[in-house]
Amino acid sequence: MRLNRILVAVSGTSADEEAVKLACNLAKKSKAEVYIVYVIEVKRSLPLDAVIEPEVEKAEKVLTQAEDIAADRDYEVETDLIQAREAGPAIVDEAMERDVDLILMSITYKKRFGVFSLGRAIPHVLEEAPCRVLLLREPIH
């Protein structure tokens, strides 16, 4: 599988670190570009370009950590902060815009109402992505 561009969607969970490491390892073989995105979901009651300071601060911290992880792997990445109504469509749009070959997403093992849950973004990306999607789930603790 030849990769030219990889999109990594990070969300501030403990699973992000392994996703960034994996993306860098995969990218090194084919010298692929790695884009790391963080999506801030903006409530419909607010304008899409509203500045939600605590969310922006968290996003910048997460993206900086991702850059540091990539730097430890001696790999340069590009990061981007996106504001959207929903993360799933924003990730798919970004993947199409950047013409990526792979979307890499990570998830922690979590249950909702006693049942394992993928959340809303992952199922959307799995259904709508124009490219391969790699899902990295953390082990059950």
Side-chain angles (χ1 to χ4, degrees), residues 76-96:
E76 199 173 307
V77 297
E78 187 180 318
T79 60
D80 202 3
L81 171 55
I82 300 168
Q83 292 198 175
R85 298 291 180 205
E86 291 183 47
I91 292 165
V92 171
D93 289 348
E94 191 71 9
M96 292 191 321

Side-chain angles (χ1 to χ4, degrees), residues 80-138:
D80 202 3
L81 171 55
I82 300 168
Q83 292 198 175
R85 298 291 180 205
E86 291 183 47
I91 292 165
V92 171
D93 289 348
E94 191 71 9
M96 292 191 321
E97 204 172 285
R98 293 185 182 264
D99 192 29
V100 301
D101 307 299
L102 176 69
I103 298 172
L104 179 55
M105 299 177 76
S106 62
I107 185 172
T108 55
Y109 187 88
K110 62 182 176 248
K111 286 188 173 185
R112 188 178 169 126
F113 306 117
V115 179
F116 175 68
S117 172
L118 290 173
R120 289 188 341 255
I122 290 172
H124 181 87
V125 172
L126 288 171
E127 271 184 49
E128 303 295 331
C131 59
R132 286 184 166 95
V133 178
L134 187 57
L135 182 59
L136 178 67
R137 195 204 81 199
E138 277 197 327

